[in-house]
């Protein structure tokens, strides 16, 4: 289980990475969230690195 600050960081990163993706694209958002959670569970907590992991998880047609 992640602590409160880490959970808040992941939510903020997810919102930033997916800001141009419709909330209806739940499969894309869930995939990005899963990759972020996996990284944080492995100890990654640097915001810039998490943003890159989130962007890398986006399908190529959605990457900005």
């Amino acid at each position: 289980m992640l602590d409160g600050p880490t959970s808040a960081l992941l939510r903020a990163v997810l919102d930033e990475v997916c800001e141009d993706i419709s909330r209806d694209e739940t499969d894309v958002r869930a995939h990005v969230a899963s990759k972020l959670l996996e990284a944080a569970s492995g100890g990654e907590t640097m915001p810039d690195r998490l943003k890159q992991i989130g962007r890398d998880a986006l399908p190529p047609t959605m990457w900005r």
Side-chain angles (χ1 to χ4, degrees), residues 15-41:
D15 287 344
E16 183 175 334
V17 169
C18 295
E19 69 184 352
D20 294 331
I21 297 172
S22 169
R23 293 230 180 239
D24 294 334
E25 295 282 347
T26 56
D27 54 337
V28 173
R29 294 178 65 84
H31 178 71
V32 173
S34 173
K35 293 298 183 180
L36 292 172
L37 183 58
E38 182 181 313
S41 294

Side-chain angles (χ1 to χ4, degrees), residues 10-11 19 25 35 42-44 53:
L10 292 181
R11 278 192 298 276
E19 69 184 352
E25 295 282 347
K35 293 298 183 180
E44 184 59 68
I53 290 166

Side-chain angles (χ1 to χ4, degrees), residues 40-55:
S41 294
E44 184 59 68
T45 58
M46 298 299 295
D48 288 340
R49 180 68 185 123
L50 288 168
K51 288 175 193 175
Q52 187 59 53
I53 290 166
R55 289 184 189 109

